[in-house]
Amino acid sequence: CGFHLRGTNGIGGDQLSFSSIYIDFPADSQTSARLKRLIKGMKLTKLANNPKEAEVILSAISEKKNKDYLSLNAQGRVREYSLDYILEFTARTPQGKILIEPTKLALRRTMTYNDNEALSKENEELMLYKDMQFDMAHQLLRRLSAIKMSAINGSEDQTTENTTSLDRQPEHQPGTPD
Amino acid sequence: KSKNSSGTKKKVERPKRVENKDAPTILQAEQITGRPARDLYLDYEVEVQRDQTLLTGDHGIFRQEENETELIGNVFIQRFGDQFTAERANLNLDTGEGQLLNTTYKFEETNGQGKASKIELVGDDKTNIFKSTYSTCEGVNPDWYLSSNKLHLDNTRNIGYATSPVLYFKDVPIIGAPAMTFPIKAERKSGVLPPTMGMTSKNGLEVIVPYYFNLAPNYDLTIFPNLMARRGLQLGAEARYMGNNYSGTTYVEYLPNDKEADRDRYFLSTKHQQAFNNGLSYYWDVKSASDDKYPDDFSSPQNRDLQRLLLREGGFKQKLGVWNATLRATNYQVLQDVEAPIIKPFDRLPQLTITGGQEDVHGFDWQMYAEMTRFWLSNEYLDQMPLKQQQARGNRFIMKPEISYPIYQSGYFFTPKAILNMAKYDLDESPYNVKSLTRVLPTFSLDGGLVFERDASFFGKGMTQTLEPRLFYVYTPYKDQSKYPIFDSGEPSFGYPLLFTENRFDGYDRVADANNLTAAVTTRFLEENGAERMRFTIGQRYYFTDQRVYLYNTNLEESQNRSDLLVMAGGKILPTFSVDSAFQYNQSTRKMYSANFSTQWKPGPMQLLNAEYRYLRDTVDFYGNKLDQVNVSGQWPIAKRWYAIGQVSYSLADSRTIENIFGFQYNADCWIFRLMAQRYATSSVETNTALYFQLELKGLSSIGSNPLNALRRSIPGYEPLSP
């Protein structure tokens, strides 16, 4: 039926097309921790400690959690909550070339609720947010996989490791729009 | 937290209201007499111009010494873009002082305009206008205007001060006062916010006149005096503040001597958090209300923070390397609804939690959760527990280390994991006559999945389709926990995350016996940029041995060899049309346990329609909490300048309206009219009906909250109506 295991096809959005990434998220972001773990575990790409050493910089513009009631029962009490997790991110090169325009990703989980179970629902809420953070990390990874560095750089040579940013800057700056 | 590295907004700088005094003064007239360097007499088609000032008129005198112009007949003055006409006028070009008689005016920046018997220009930024009208509407017949004996406008302080003002709308006087102030520019500035009037079935006539204090860029205060005909004057206030490492909001409502209830009524909500550089932070989040009936009388769709269970929580957090410690105390105030009583949750006085973890230590991830809690509830509340849920208060100690070895590849993942659940309880007195309980249970799990891909087409668009089968096996030995108390455990909502957790209970009082396998398949349609367009999931859990651990020993007769079946589908079918749905079906009882199906159509800005069906079967609930309802909501521009919003929630199970809201906004050039009608349940027997309207006169009130925007919670996808 045409399905093949991801990563066995050679071409396509299987692998990250860049060798190093700097993840510029708030230090306590669970999403970035998960994303880093995925990237690390796959040994695809190096995690840079410094934005200047990275080929791609992924930045969180805003990270928001929202909890609002979704449905009320006939007594006017909350019966279901909707938990929203909204992340706005962008990806660029250290030279400032935008690879992914600022994009908002919104995830939602519903949680049944009953005042009698307030304490257990507190635990459930944590679980659902964790699930969304995992989901978000995978969504980010798929977005990163869609970046085609070769098309942006024009040549594969420039994606080699240890090319210092100082060397590259003069070459690229005149060409970058914006 | 928002980190905006680039793109700081630059306001368009207006030219300052300063005139270049060295610019040449040009005089023109058909006839000029007098002596140079003294007074010049100008007659017929007089024009005096210097830099940003232009005066024209029939006759005039120009006094060169003082740099002053005096004009009579068809006088027109333009200075810094402001325009005046008058019968006669004089203006000193250097000081900006002057006087105009029988005049009309229009200020460029504020669009404030009107007519007056006299205008005094006191310098370049202050103006006194006598026996005047003031409006921001264009033309000679303004929709609204403020007439006053004296109007003082101060541009630098952005304030207008009117003496004996009378406000006319469509030439009908609607309100008068001895004096009033208003902000003259559309800035975040202290001032009256548009007042709201309303009728509610609980409170009778209501008049709310909010006042906004813009105290500093990072803190402000809004007060909401609300005069309720049947109850008295309620005072509301909201203070917001934000600093480098702290932020908070406090909201208070206070109604002294409620005439209906014959007592003082209040509601308070305060939140604060602050973090220090050494990793220490503290926070509080406290809500409180005066009495059980408060939500019946004062809750509204705009005020849903006001629930029947009010959390009071405060604590400290400390970070130390890979460790996080939290010490907190929590307590709930219950505002009882006698018809559907709430079991008061345990207080945690206090709770100390220590968590830690590291990832990729030679490929291993480890996590530790440790917690010590004193769960407390007074005898009065313990006695109110339902028969099969009798409880003890006591101390609980939990330690739960986890270790896993995740393997990730783009085409597959595999994670073996081991958990040790350790718990120790010391109970005050237990219905089962046990004071001390310990429990040590290991859990093993294996989580693995594959990701297949193919090129596919979705509604005519080329996409990547994935196929992601996933298996999850858990083993936890059985231990009889029927004598263990339940402090914070419960059964979570059935859903995808639950199928892939080791413990089918949340909280730490029950460790579910498990020998089961979850199988699920997800397929996604991905756009070229990796964006997820659509997702379908089907999943189920299979039990190899019967489950024997239950919450309240309420052994359900439906002991099964498999869980309910979960089917979910969601995403954007078209860029303007999205669906979200989930079904929970039990194959052995052939019953649907939960179902929801929602659609959203958003063809353009401010154009939105939602339709939704939600169903939840009553399970182990004691008070009848079945959900079987239809929600329809949306917003739509119904005609030029007209915007409508609405929401209907109807419970099919109870044949009862839960929340109906209808509102509209008419947006004229210089005013906005808003109307909002609501009907909603406030308790099992009571309903409130409310009708509010608001007239906002642009340029007369501060920029502030729009009551219709408070409805965004009820209408998913709602876009605020401007402004």
Side-chain angles (χ1 to χ4, degrees):
Chain A
C1 54
F3 281 110
H4 57 86
L5 203 61
R6 186 193 277 168
T8 55
N9 193 7
I11 353 158
D14 303 315
Q15 303 281 344
L16 299 182
S17 67
F18 43 88
S19 60
S20 61
I21 183 168
Y22 178 75
I23 299 179
D24 178 21
F25 271 52
D28 54 354
S29 165
Q30 291 298 307
T31 301
S32 89
R34 181 68 180 180
L35 180 62
K36 283 176 184 167
R37 184 69 184 100
L38 287 171
I39 292 173
K40 234 181 188 178
M42 285 190 231
K43 299 184 172 61
L44 290 173
T45 294
K46 221 173 59 179
L47 289 166
N49 295 320
N50 183 324
K52 283 186 183 152
E53 292 163 8
E55 215 177 331
V56 172
I57 300 168
L58 177 75
S59 316
I61 299 167
S62 68
E63 205 178 359
K64 252 194 315 202
K65 285 178 183 175
N66 249 343
K67 180 182 171 185
D68 266 328
Y69 71 93
L70 178 68
S71 60
L72 305 171
N73 64 13
Q75 289 125 31
R77 281 199 227 156
V78 179
R79 187 67 184 91
E80 288 175 298
Y81 274 107
S82 90
L83 306 175
D84 292 286
Y85 173 44
I86 302 147
L87 177 81
E88 192 175 1
F89 73 98
T90 179
R92 59 187 168 90
T93 64
Q95 290 77 36
K97 190 177 173 81
I98 301 286
L99 302 172
I100 302 177
E101 293 285 338
T103 305
K104 244 182 207 172
L105 292 178
L107 295 176
R108 163 177 287 194
R109 299 287 183 268
T110 59
M111 178 174 85
T112 61
Y113 182 79
N114 183 335
D115 283 329
N116 295 327
E117 298 169 350
L119 295 191
S120 88
K121 289 298 169 185
E122 198 180 275
N123 291 313
E124 185 178 342
E125 196 178 319
L126 293 175
M127 177 184 90
L128 291 174
Y129 273 119
K130 197 171 156 192
D131 177 59
M132 280 194 271
Q133 285 155 347
F134 280 22
D135 196 343
M136 190 65 87
H138 285 273
Q139 303 234 8
L140 287 173
L141 190 62
R142 281 194 287 270
R143 297 287 180 126
L144 290 174
S145 311
I147 296 177
K148 299 282 178 287
M149 273 323 256
S150 51
I152 288 154
N153 287 334
S155 149
E156 281 290 317
D157 296 352
Q158 277 150 356
T159 62
T160 47
E161 280 182 293
N162 301 329
T163 316
T164 63
S165 52
L166 276 174
D167 290 336
R168 280 197 283 166
Q169 250 169 7
E171 275 178 52
H172 273 256
Q173 254 174 352
T176 40
D178 156 277
Chain B
K1 278 169 215 171
S2 115
K3 294 205 274 176
N4 206 341
S5 50
S6 64
T8 46
K9 280 179 199 165
K10 265 190 195 162
K11 273 192 174 173
V12 182
E13 287 281 329
R14 284 179 40 80
K16 291 212 171 99
R17 292 170 71 87
V18 170
E19 187 163 81
N20 176 11
K21 287 178 181 158
D22 297 329
T25 307
I26 301 158
L27 305 179
Q28 285 181 49
E30 294 211 346
Q31 187 183 314
I32 302 181
T33 51
R35 281 185 293 170
R38 289 284 178 87
D39 295 354
L40 292 171
Y41 298 93
L42 314 159
D43 290 291
Y44 312 112
E45 311 225 348
V46 177
E47 194 177 305
V48 178
Q49 195 189 354
R50 190 185 82 178
D51 197 30
Q52 299 195 49
T53 309
L54 169 74
L55 303 101
T56 62
D58 290 346
H59 305 277
I61 303 169
F62 183 74
R63 300 192 179 91
Q64 269 182 288
E65 190 117 325
E66 295 89 0
N67 227 342
E68 191 173 276
T69 310
E70 193 174 333
L71 290 171
I72 301 173
N74 294 317
V75 180
F76 172 79
I77 300 177
Q78 180 167 327
R79 188 167 164 86
F80 311 119
D82 300 341
Q83 292 178 350
F84 305 88
T85 66
E87 270 177 19
R88 56 187 302 164
N90 63 63
L91 178 71
N92 186 308
L93 294 181
D94 290 341
T95 62
E97 284 168 17
Q99 203 174 69
L100 299 88
L101 293 177
N102 288 336
T103 172
T104 71
Y105 65 93
K106 180 175 178 181
F107 296 110
E108 187 202 22
E109 193 178 353
T110 61
N111 206 36
Q113 50 192 290
K115 28 187 198 194
S117 66
K118 187 170 94 174
I119 293 181
E120 271 175 19
L121 302 170
V122 190
D124 286 336
D125 285 312
K126 292 192 181 77
T127 314
N128 289 320
I129 305 173
F130 296 91
K131 296 226 167 13
S132 65
T133 67
Y134 178 88
S135 179
T136 58
C137 306
E138 296 288 344
V140 284
N141 269 322
D143 283 344
W144 67 264
Y145 61 89
L146 186 76
S147 86
S148 55
N149 265 345
K150 183 184 168 188
L151 185 63
H152 175 74
L153 303 176
D154 187 335
N155 249 315
T156 46
R157 288 171 55 219
N158 180 22
I159 194 166
Y161 182 87
T163 327
S164 313
V166 180
L167 187 62
Y168 288 82
F169 185 74
K170 300 277 181 194
D171 286 325
V172 179
I174 52 171
I175 195 164
M180 73 173 277
T181 66
F182 58 94
I184 51 181
K185 281 181 263 183
E187 285 174 4
R188 243 173 64 122
K189 200 77 191 175
S190 298
V192 179
L193 299 175
T196 302
M197 277 181 84
M199 277 297 289
T200 72
S201 57
K202 300 268 181 187
N203 306 332
L205 183 72
E206 285 186 38
V207 181
I208 307 161
V209 186
Y211 195 89
Y212 178 73
F213 295 91
N214 188 30
L215 300 172
N218 60 339
Y219 56 93
D220 61 20
L221 172 72
T222 314
I223 58 166
F224 313 86
N226 183 355
L227 187 64
M228 303 175 189
R230 300 233 298 257
R231 297 182 185 277
L233 179 67
Q234 183 193 54
L235 285 168
E238 185 186 48
R240 303 185 299 176
Y241 53 90
M242 185 185 270
N244 261 346
N245 58 356
Y246 65 91
S247 65
T249 308
T250 294
Y251 176 78
V252 197
E253 268 172 20
Y254 182 68
L255 170 63
N257 192 22
D258 180 349
K259 282 186 273 179
E260 290 265 301
D262 201 21
R263 58 166 296 172
D264 295 353
R265 317 280 305 263
Y266 69 84
F267 172 67
L268 163 83
S269 161
T270 170
K271 279 181 199 178
H272 175 89
Q273 60 187 49
Q274 183 160 15
F276 301 101
N277 288 336
N278 57 6
L280 178 72
S281 61
Y282 73 95
Y283 70 99
W284 73 68
D285 182 352
V286 174
K287 292 190 180 91
S288 185
S290 56
D291 55 283
D292 288 352
K293 295 281 281 174
Y294 204 89
D296 293 281
D297 296 341
F298 300 105
S299 81
S300 71
Q302 296 84 294
N303 187 10
R304 277 287 170 201
D305 272 352
L306 174 52
Q307 288 149 13
R308 292 194 170 268
L309 204 54
L310 304 181
L311 173 68
R312 297 97 175 268
E313 173 172 1
F316 294 91
K317 293 179 184 179
Q318 174 72 55
K319 248 182 215 180
L320 264 180
V322 300
W323 298 98
N324 278 299
T326 305
L327 178 67
R328 65 169 180 167
T330 72
N331 155 265
Y332 285 95
Q333 182 186 8
V334 184
L335 308 178
Q336 278 299 6
D337 174 1
V338 192
E339 302 290 324
I342 298 165
I343 303 167
K344 191 175 192 259
F346 276 92
D347 296 344
R348 285 166 288 195
L349 297 169
Q351 180 173 58
L352 174 67
T353 310
I354 295 170
T355 59
Q358 269 178 299
E359 290 182 326
D360 199 14
V361 184
H362 304 292
F364 286 94
D365 290 3
W366 67 267
Q367 266 185 55
M368 169 66 108
Y369 178 88
E371 178 211 286
M372 247 186 304
T373 313
R374 179 163 174 261
F375 288 96
W376 202 86
L377 212 53
S378 70
N379 286 337
E380 177 200 352
Y381 288 108
L382 283 175
D383 293 343
Q384 286 171 11
M385 293 274 177
L387 200 60
K388 281 184 176 167
Q389 296 186 21
Q390 282 142 335
Q391 286 280 12
R393 56 175 175 250
N395 300 332
R396 185 183 75 181
F397 173 69
I398 299 286
M399 199 141 98
K400 190 181 166 198
E402 291 183 22
I403 187 159
S404 62
Y405 191 85
I407 298 162
Y408 300 116
Q409 283 304 325
S410 59
Y412 62 90
F413 71 92
F414 183 72
T415 307
K417 187 177 189 180
I419 306 171
L420 194 61
N421 296 282
M422 291 179 275
K424 186 172 187 313
Y425 292 86
D426 290 301
L427 305 176
D428 273 10
E429 52 188 291
S430 151
Y432 304 102
N433 282 324
V434 280
K435 293 224 160 176
S436 183
L437 287 161
T438 43
R439 179 181 62 211
V440 179
L441 282 173
T443 296
F444 305 97
S445 71
L446 292 171
D447 189 0
L450 300 170
V451 184
F452 297 97
E453 277 184 348
R454 70 168 181 185
D455 295 329
S457 124
F458 184 79
F459 280 84
K461 213 178 158 199
M463 289 201 192
T464 302
Q465 186 189 0
T466 71
L467 187 70
E468 304 169 34
R470 183 175 172 189
L471 288 173
F472 177 69
Y473 174 78
V474 193
Y475 179 78
T476 307
Y478 167 75
K479 180 175 169 63
D480 178 13
Q481 294 164 50
S482 56
K483 293 190 166 61
Y484 284 66
I486 292 182
F487 294 132
D488 65 359
S489 268
E491 281 179 294
S493 348
F494 188 78
Y496 191 76
L498 181 67
L499 289 179
F500 293 93
T501 42
E502 282 83 6
N503 192 350
R504 63 176 182 272
F505 303 106
D506 50 25
Y508 297 90
D509 297 309
R510 288 288 181 276
V511 179
D513 56 324
N515 178 13
N516 49 42
L517 180 73
T518 300
V521 181
T522 299
T523 177
R524 292 173 219 266
F525 287 87
L526 304 174
E527 289 178 7
E528 205 185 334
N529 65 358
E532 184 180 302
R533 182 71 180 268
M534 200 74 202
R535 180 198 297 206
F536 300 92
T537 298
I538 181 163
Q540 191 162 34
R541 183 175 258 185
Y542 300 90
Y543 303 107
F544 298 122
T545 49
D546 279 350
Q547 308 163 69
R548 293 197 278 164
V549 178
Y550 288 95
L551 269 184
Y552 294 105
N553 312 322
T554 46
N555 197 336
L556 298 175
E557 65 279 10
E558 302 157 4
S559 186
Q560 324 116 329
N561 58 5
R562 54 189 171 182
S563 76
D564 295 348
L565 182 70
L566 176 75
V567 181
M568 298 192 294
K572 282 185 170 170
I573 291 179
L574 299 169
T576 58
F577 184 74
S578 55
V579 295
D580 190 18
S581 59
F583 303 92
Q584 176 192 353
Y585 179 73
N586 189 302
Q587 290 145 300
S588 41
T589 60
R590 293 170 188 273
K591 278 178 189 160
M592 197 66 90
Y593 277 78
S594 83
N596 62 70
F597 184 77
S598 60
T599 60
Q600 182 174 77
W601 185 48
K602 204 168 194 289
M606 309 265 179
Q607 296 180 331
L608 168 74
L609 282 178
N610 297 308
E612 182 180 43
Y613 173 73
R614 307 197 71 84
Y615 176 83
L616 261 182
R617 181 182 284 274
D618 247 344
T619 47
V620 285
D621 204 353
F622 293 84
Y623 302 108
N625 232 341
K626 187 179 170 180
L627 198 69
D628 186 6
Q629 67 184 41
V630 179
N631 303 323
V632 179
S633 64
Q635 66 179 135
W636 208 264
I638 44 178
K640 203 185 169 212
R641 298 174 178 278
W642 289 87
Y643 297 90
I645 63 167
Q647 188 230 359
V648 176
S649 289
Y650 185 77
S651 170
L652 301 166
D654 309 82
S655 306
R656 187 170 187 220
T657 291
I658 296 166
E659 202 172 85
N660 285 357
I661 297 171
F662 174 73
F664 73 79
Q665 168 163 314
Y666 179 78
N667 213 346
D669 283 325
C670 55
W671 54 273
I672 301 170
F673 179 75
R674 304 188 177 98
L675 184 137
M676 188 161 73
Q678 312 172 330
R679 184 181 162 81
Y680 51 92
T682 58
S683 75
S684 43
V685 286
E686 297 196 57
T687 312
N688 195 3
T689 311
L691 178 74
Y692 292 105
F693 55 90
Q694 186 186 59
L695 181 66
E696 178 176 342
L697 306 175
K698 291 183 192 173
L700 200 62
S701 52
S702 286
I703 303 297
S705 63
N706 166 352
L708 294 184
N709 284 347
L711 300 177
R712 76 191 133 76
R713 293 191 183 189
S714 309
I715 303 172
Y718 174 75
E719 272 178 89
L721 299 168
S722 56

